[in-house]
Amino acid sequence: MEEKRRWWTAMVVVFVLLKSIHGEDPYRFYTWNVTYGDIYPLGVKQQGILINGQFPGPAIESVTNDNLIVNVFNNLDEPFLLSWNGVQQRRNSWQDGVYGTNCPIPPGKNFTYALQVKDQIGSYFYFPSLAFHKAAGGFGGIKIASRSVIPIPFDPPAGDYTILAGDWFKQNHTDLKAILDNGNDLPFPDGLLINGRGSNGYTFTVDQGKTYRLRISNVGLTTSINFRIQSHKMLLVEVEGTHTLQNTYDSLDIHLGQSYSVLFTADQPAQDYNIVVSTRFTSQVLTATSILRYRNSAGSVSDPPPGGPTIEIDWSLNQARSIRRNLTASGPRPNPQGSYHYGMINTTRTIRLANSAPIINGKQRYAVNSVSFIPADTPLKLADHFNIPGVFKLGGIPDNLSGSGGYLQTSVMAADFRAYVEIVFENTEDNVQSWHIDGHNFFVVGMDGGQWSSDSRLSYNLRDTISRCTVQVYPQSWTAVYMPLDNVGMWNVRSENWARQYLGQQFYLRVYSPANSWRDEYPIPNNALLCGRALGHKTRSL
């Protein structure tokens, strides 16, 4: 009997140890107070959106599979939402933070986001998604590091810095919103910012001989940028969660909403150097600089900063084609990124999406396949969950280009869970487009000038193209992607040009599973905010 008791005691100890070893993924808790505050990014006083008094907002630093609990207190005088550019929200579009999925946080109230960076690594950012708040700040960086047991394809750097760069306007966000509401386009930006400051407002200090990582995101509103470091080469290592072939670049084009991660070595004489961003494909070139300072610097930065490309589209296209996956590197899990043979899977549907700029009811609008999106009075995800009729029209946007001039609609595209689709973005306009799809990564299989046809598939890269969540489409050109619809939910497909997004160049993709199982999608959160026609409905018990 005593021997049996000892055996059971030993089994209990083993069970407890196993539970502790294989316990729930770690939690990280954040409390954010969102307020207005005076900022002077271009030397002019503006009303900025601050998080915990900071512009840009505080960084999120996490590890694959971490649970992020972000309690957001809205101390503005208007509704507010945060979204998470590139965080996939696996099975959980309830946390996506765009108006198609979430009710806004009312003034004076709070909402707690419960995110999990499930099976992800890499560099991303968060931003305010309502009204035109993104023009006032409220954005910040997101880092997702690999778990310690997963090897990464480069030595740990001596430092890891986030750079949030992009265009900026001296006018307050309310004035910019009024311009758009009146049916006009935005003026040309007034300048560029690096981490919330104009030229030479930010300094990065390094030690000679050491290697550093920069995570660079274009958080601007309207323009692509080029990034470079005076006298230093950059080794590209990661793009939006994918380890890349480690090609060396003198400069990188970073389009709206995109994030890149590079290594550079402080291997030059010890002095100050320019870190430069400049606008791309604009008749007027804006430039901003920060300072790269060697700790034992013997000299100040030399002027002027090194020039970069300006309007050369072919140069940018060739660079984009050179960005490829590292097939032998592990991703978030310990298996090579090339083990998923995306090019050997038959697509089940082709969706062709064309951007346009119609005038509707005498006002400037922007559209996808002639449909200019208008927000409904109720978030689409809530309307779908509660079976509220009349909020949106499923199938309200066609799979192919339309010949009509443009019309207003709350457009939602139906899609089947686990389908594998080809999406072709077609741009017949004279400016660069940038497209983002929430909840998913896609494989950029091809891009070229001219009109896309079925023969264009002959040029697709079906072996080692980059996987990402935001892609550019050059003027009079097309870009094709393959995308597994592996995430049930209501997902925003949008232009990252924020004026175009605001004036209708977006829609929602409803990825649907008839199983109605928690294995496919999490239930509605019990703290979900309800608004519009969803008021009076119940979420679920605790």
Side-chain angles (χ1 to χ4, degrees):
M1 190 72 179
E2 183 66 25
E3 184 178 348
K4 189 174 182 180
R5 186 181 297 112
R6 285 198 300 269
W7 183 86
W8 275 108
T9 302
M11 289 300 99
V12 170
V13 171
V14 170
F15 177 76
V16 170
L17 287 174
L18 286 173
K19 289 292 285 183
S20 65
I21 293 170
H22 300 287
E24 194 171 4
D25 291 305
Y27 280 76
R28 296 175 187 260
F29 295 89
Y30 300 86
T31 299
W32 286 355
N33 291 297
V34 180
T35 61
Y36 286 126
D38 293 339
I39 58 174
Y40 301 81
L42 293 176
V44 175
K45 180 180 176 180
Q46 293 179 259
Q47 183 187 62
I49 292 178
L50 313 180
I51 299 180
N52 291 353
Q54 300 177 42
F55 168 67
I60 289 178
E61 300 201 12
S62 60
V63 177
T64 300
N65 295 344
D66 278 357
N67 295 282
L68 309 179
I69 309 301
V70 188
N71 192 3
V72 178
F73 288 83
N74 177 17
N75 295 304
L76 307 182
D77 57 2
E78 56 185 324
F80 185 78
L81 270 179
L82 282 175
S83 190
W84 322 88
N85 207 75
V87 176
Q88 291 181 9
Q89 315 288 0
R90 305 299 301 176
R91 300 186 290 163
N92 201 14
S93 64
W94 303 108
Q95 307 293 335
D96 204 29
V98 290
Y99 185 63
T101 58
N102 295 92
C103 292
I105 307 171
K109 303 294 183 180
N110 74 297
F111 176 74
T112 301
Y113 292 89
L115 321 173
Q116 186 181 26
V117 288
K118 180 69 174 172
D119 287 336
Q120 283 192 267
I121 58 171
S123 311
Y124 310 96
F125 64 92
Y126 62 85
F127 67 95
S129 61
L130 286 187
F132 215 63
H133 290 156
K134 192 180 179 187
F139 49 76
I142 302 174
K143 301 178 184 178
I144 309 176
S146 296
R147 291 178 292 151
S148 59
V149 296
I150 308 296
I152 57 175
F154 50 88
D155 293 333
D160 189 325
Y161 300 111
T162 292
I163 293 182
L164 304 173
D167 55 37
W168 192 260
F169 294 82
K170 291 181 179 179
Q171 292 167 275
N172 285 337
H173 74 281
T174 51
D175 296 329
L176 297 174
K177 179 176 175 293
I179 291 172
L180 297 173
D181 289 340
N182 289 329
N184 301 306
D185 201 359
L186 295 181
F188 191 71
D190 295 298
L192 296 176
L193 301 185
I194 300 174
N195 288 353
R197 303 179 186 180
S199 282
N200 297 332
Y202 207 92
T203 299
F204 299 86
T205 301
V206 296
D207 291 315
Q208 194 171 32
K210 293 184 178 181
T211 297
Y212 296 84
R213 182 173 185 170
L214 300 179
R215 302 172 187 259
I216 314 150
S217 294
N218 184 343
V219 297
L221 300 176
T222 63
T223 56
S224 301
I225 59 173
N226 180 266
F227 180 90
R228 51 202 183 271
I229 308 173
Q230 183 180 15
S231 302
H232 293 73
K233 303 286 187 180
M234 296 179 294
L235 191 72
L236 183 65
V237 294
E238 176 253 329
V239 172
E240 294 162 18
T242 301
H243 290 304
T244 65
L245 285 182
Q246 295 181 10
N247 295 328
T248 300
Y249 297 92
D250 293 316
S251 70
L252 275 172
D253 278 354
I254 305 175
H255 303 276
L256 289 164
Q258 293 184 338
S259 298
Y260 287 77
S261 190
V262 302
L263 300 177
F264 77 93
T265 301
D267 56 4
Q268 298 299 304
Q271 61 181 55
D272 292 355
Y273 297 89
N274 281 299
I275 296 175
V276 188
V277 292
S278 57
T279 55
R280 285 287 267 127
F281 319 114
T282 57
S283 56
Q284 176 186 349
V285 178
L286 299 174
T287 299
T289 57
S290 286
I291 297 173
L292 177 67
R293 173 162 295 158
Y294 282 58
R295 198 172 302 278
N296 54 339
S297 176
S300 60
V301 70
S302 60
D303 288 319
T310 53
I311 58 173
E312 302 88 345
I313 293 174
D314 286 346
W315 184 95
S316 187
L317 175 62
N318 288 331
Q319 183 180 89
R321 288 172 172 162
S322 74
I323 298 171
R324 305 201 172 184
R325 284 189 305 154
N326 185 334
L327 297 180
T328 61
S330 293
R333 296 188 182 191
N335 54 289
Q337 293 183 144
S339 62
Y340 183 80
H341 300 290
Y342 70 92
M344 299 177 66
I345 305 170
N346 292 328
T347 57
T348 55
R349 179 180 176 187
T350 295
I351 301 168
R352 298 174 64 182
L353 301 175
N355 49 272
S356 60
I359 302 296
I360 302 176
N361 300 328
K363 292 186 176 182
Q364 179 67 68
R365 297 287 300 185
Y366 297 97
V368 188
N369 288 1
S370 300
V371 185
S372 186
F373 183 86
I374 50 172
D377 60 3
T378 304
L380 313 181
K381 182 62 182 171
L382 292 180
D384 197 33
H385 176 75
F386 293 122
N387 295 313
I388 302 172
V391 174
F392 65 87
K393 179 183 178 182
L394 192 61
I397 179 171
D399 279 17
N400 292 288
L401 290 64
S402 170
S404 57
Y407 56 96
L408 303 174
Q409 189 166 279
T410 305
S411 42
V412 178
M413 181 177 287
D416 294 328
F417 181 45
R418 295 199 176 100
Y420 191 64
V421 299
E422 174 187 42
I423 301 176
V424 183
F425 297 102
E426 302 189 50
N427 178 19
T428 60
E429 298 183 67
D430 293 328
N431 44 24
V432 176
Q433 305 293 314
S434 187
W435 287 95
H436 177 89
I437 302 180
D438 279 352
H440 295 80
N441 262 30
F442 45 71
F443 298 93
V444 185
V445 293
M447 58 175 62
D448 207 348
Q451 186 173 358
W452 181 88
S453 71
S454 58
D455 290 340
S456 302
R457 297 186 178 113
L458 298 174
S459 67
Y460 283 3
N461 177 355
L462 300 181
R463 182 177 180 271
D464 66 347
T465 192
I466 197 69
S467 172
R468 62 188 314 168
C469 58
T470 310
V471 70
Q472 71 275 21
V473 192
Y474 292 101
Q476 305 293 327
S477 299
W478 57 267
T479 294
V481 306
Y482 282 179
M483 188 170 80
L485 297 176
D486 57 0
N487 201 7
V488 172
M490 186 77 71
W491 302 108
N492 191 221
V493 181
R494 63 175 175 267
S495 170
E496 287 285 351
N497 181 307
W498 220 240
R500 284 179 168 261
Q501 179 274 155
Y502 180 78
L503 291 179
Q505 198 165 297
Q506 61 171 308
F507 65 93
Y508 282 81
L509 187 70
R510 178 184 182 256
V511 181
Y512 175 72
S513 169
N516 193 26
S517 167
W518 286 17
R519 290 176 301 176
D520 295 340
E521 183 178 30
Y522 292 142
I524 185 171
N526 51 49
N527 71 329
L529 300 174
L530 301 181
C531 57
R533 284 182 256 179
L535 284 171
H537 288 76
K538 301 293 185 182
T539 55
R540 59 189 177 94
S541 59
L542 292 171

